[in-house]
Amino acid sequence: QVELVESGGGLVQAGGSLRLSCAAHGPNFSRYAMGWFRQAPGKEREFIAGVSWHGIKQYADFVKGRFSMSEVNAENTVYLQLNSLNLEDTGVYYCASDKTLGTVIGGTSKYWGQGTQVTVSS
């Protein structure tokens, strides 16, 4: 069993930056892939970024270099750096994990966090 807990969300002005954290708890977690998703009000959930246990990363096209994801660190925590934020980035950001990066990217991860709210103001 794996538990994922997101943190680091909050209110930020447009053009600003934010760093989100996802702490994973569970045995042999270092062998799992992890990813980030977000869901804006009234919008569909969308993939942002993911990393395999080998350290291979993949980003959604809309990121356009503004976001970056870390590898899993020794404390089983991954980060999502959000830069040049705009109003369209507002939403709930979720952490997800499963054994393969493909499963994570496809949105069918076995494990999901509760989400952390990111609100971008003008």
Side-chain angles (χ1 to χ4, degrees):
Q1 187 72 277
V2 175
E3 180 184 7
L4 304 175
V5 181
E6 303 96 335
S7 62
L11 177 64
V12 63
Q13 187 175 353
S17 299
L18 208 60
R19 189 174 76 160
L20 308 182
S21 299
C22 175
H25 307 275
N28 301 314
F29 182 79
S30 62
R31 305 286 291 191
Y32 278 63
M34 296 186 68
W36 287 94
F37 290 75
R38 71 181 185 183
Q39 186 169 23
K43 304 294 183 180
E44 299 292 329
R45 181 187 63 188
E46 61 182 346
F47 169 75
I48 301 172
V51 60
S52 72
W53 65 269
H54 294 93
I56 299 174
K57 301 175 185 178
Q58 184 168 331
Y59 296 94
D61 290 339
F62 77 83
V63 170
K64 300 183 183 300
R66 297 187 299 120
F67 304 162
S68 62
M69 183 179 182
S70 72
E71 295 182 31
V72 181
N73 67 12
E75 290 72 43
N76 290 332
T77 298
V78 296
Y79 301 93
L80 181 66
Q81 180 68 40
L82 309 175
N83 298 319
S84 302
L85 289 165
N86 55 56
L87 296 179
E88 295 182 350
D89 294 319
T90 293
V92 179
Y93 285 66
Y94 298 93
C95 180
S97 184
D98 212 316
K99 291 186 176 181
T100 68
L101 182 58
T103 300
V104 171
I105 294 174
T108 58
S109 293
K110 182 177 181 179
Y111 304 105
W112 292 86
Q114 294 299 308
T116 184
Q117 175 71 225
V118 172
T119 303
V120 183
S121 64
S122 61

